[in-house]
Amino acid sequence: MFSSNSRSIVRYSILRRLKSTLVVAEHNNEALNPVTQNAITAAKKIGGDVTVLVAGTKCGPASEAVAKVQGVSKVLVAESDAFNGFTAESLTPLVLAVQNQFKFTHILAGATAFGKNVLPRVAAKLDVSPISEIIDVKSEDTFVRTIYAGNAVLTFKSKDPVKVITIRGTNFEAAPTNGSAKIEQAPAGDYKTDLTQFVSQELTKSDRPELASAKVIISGGRGLKSGENFKLLYDLADKFGAAVGASRAAVDAGYVPNDLQIGQTGKIVAPELYIAVGISGAIQHLAGMKDSKTIVAINKDPEAPIFQIADYGLVADLFKAIPELTEKL
């Protein structure tokens, strides 16, 4: 006979085996967005089997790339013209169909424009509260996220039967690519929708690395005074092989396009080196870059808040300091 303590251990083991996570992959049909590998790391930390859903048009290369990620037990592939443009209106019914069949305990995606568009809809359809932008996993039902623009850290427990979560990619290491998961077809269905239609997209082409994956980022703020002056940062970035970013003030002023915006309402980054040029350090901007390994601030105002979190600070006129730094490199 089993003692009550033994029964508890058996019951706990069964519950652990039942844990399973679906990661909704972000990709362009040919290659994965790196945040998918970060999300897989978060899923592994939750525990249980990890399944990845790859939906798109001719997304074979992306599904094969996912199958090689360590920790993935299965890859579900859905190919259809309905997923052209990766609209949330077509992807949500697919995720729900997959959830209906496999009954996952967790559904994850990166806290990108893609993840923030799809997963809240999934959560609403499942009648659960979405959990946004977690930075750590304590257990299968306990997670950590920042609040008040990063000024406080909240640890909380979710009691929902299905946890629908977006993860902040900069807080989870990318899962290595030495796995060999099996690839299967996702549940078939008509996922076309009349609610939205993908027309076209214009992608900015650049030889510089993406902000999300760059090891060095040089960011400019309102202190640059014009879009033309951002050439100073581009020249410096070429020396470092760095990406160029911007504060919201610079974007709102029209100096640069909004895909360069870093901050609470922009992109969250954590490079090895972050150089803030002419950025005062508003709380919304700090929320997007304060996890950088080394922060260098260049500003002529010695009272600028950016200096409070900077590892190195230079009180100087950026129009003199940046050309001099570029020349010395």
Side-chain angles (χ1 to χ4, degrees):
M1 292 180 64
F2 288 112
S3 68
S4 62
N5 187 48
S6 298
R7 284 197 297 270
S8 297
I9 292 172
V10 171
R11 186 160 55 247
Y12 177 71
S13 298
I14 291 171
L15 287 173
R16 286 196 66 183
R17 285 199 300 271
L18 290 176
K19 280 188 298 185
S20 58
T21 299
L22 175 69
V23 175
V24 183
E26 185 172 348
H27 60 92
N28 63 0
N29 288 313
E30 297 176 0
L32 286 179
N33 184 316
V35 77
T36 300
Q37 288 172 249
N38 304 120
I40 290 169
T41 295
K44 287 160 60 179
K45 199 165 183 181
I46 290 170
D49 290 337
V50 177
T51 299
V52 181
L53 173 64
V54 180
T57 57
K58 299 179 181 178
C59 56
S63 60
E64 288 170 10
V66 172
K68 294 176 182 176
V69 178
Q70 187 183 86
V72 176
S73 57
K74 182 164 56 182
V75 179
L76 297 175
V77 182
E79 287 196 0
S80 169
D81 290 340
F83 306 127
N84 186 29
F86 309 105
T87 62
E89 289 81 2
S90 60
L91 287 170
T92 299
L94 170 64
V95 176
L96 293 173
V98 171
Q99 174 62 15
N100 253 354
Q101 180 170 330
F102 294 97
K103 309 296 183 187
F104 296 101
T105 56
H106 299 74
I107 301 176
L108 266 65
T112 59
F114 171 84
K116 292 176 181 179
N117 196 18
V118 175
L119 259 57
R121 294 169 185 265
V122 172
K125 289 291 188 180
L126 294 175
D127 196 25
V128 299
S129 297
I131 300 169
S132 61
E133 216 158 323
I134 66 167
I135 61 172
D136 197 9
V137 175
K138 293 295 184 183
S139 70
E140 62 188 274
D141 61 0
T142 305
F143 311 97
V144 182
R145 68 185 301 269
T146 59
I147 56 175
Y148 300 123
N151 279 324
V153 177
L154 173 71
T155 300
F156 64 96
K157 179 177 287 189
S158 170
K159 294 185 177 180
D160 282 324
V162 182
K163 281 73 172 173
V164 180
I165 305 167
T166 58
I167 66 103
R168 184 177 290 184
T170 55
N171 290 89
F172 296 91
E173 293 291 332
T177 54
N178 58 354
S180 56
K182 55 184 179 180
I183 299 176
E184 300 179 3
Q185 291 301 308
D190 182 10
Y191 300 113
K192 292 182 179 178
T193 175
D194 296 327
L195 297 174
T196 60
Q197 181 180 1
F198 176 75
V199 178
S200 65
Q201 65 180 356
E202 294 181 13
L203 300 176
T204 303
K205 293 184 179 180
S206 174
D207 293 332
R208 295 188 179 88
E210 290 287 330
L211 277 172
S213 57
K215 293 184 177 179
V216 180
I217 296 176
I218 301 170
S219 243
R222 198 197 302 271
L224 277 120
K225 298 181 180 179
S226 72
E228 290 76 17
N229 289 332
F230 261 77
K231 185 178 185 305
L232 294 171
L233 302 193
Y234 293 133
D235 291 342
L236 181 59
D238 289 340
K239 297 283 188 177
F240 279 105
V244 174
S247 68
R248 178 171 180 169
V251 171
D252 287 349
Y255 299 167
V256 290
N258 61 9
D259 61 327
L260 298 188
Q261 183 177 323
I262 293 171
Q264 186 180 16
T265 53
K267 294 178 179 176
I268 307 294
V269 298
E272 298 292 326
L273 173 62
Y274 187 90
I275 303 177
V277 182
I279 295 175
S280 63
I283 189 172
Q284 290 84 0
H285 184 75
L286 301 185
M289 47 65 70
K290 67 180 184 179
D291 289 331
S292 304
K293 307 301 182 290
T294 302
I295 299 172
V296 177
I298 301 174
N299 200 299
K300 66 180 181 181
D301 178 11
E303 302 300 321
I306 191 74
F307 287 123
Q308 295 177 13
I309 68 162
D311 298 288
Y312 301 95
L314 175 62
V315 179
D317 183 346
L318 70 89
F319 295 104
K320 294 179 181 177
I322 297 302
E324 185 176 343
L325 178 59
T326 304
E327 184 181 348
K328 288 186 181 297
L329 290 170

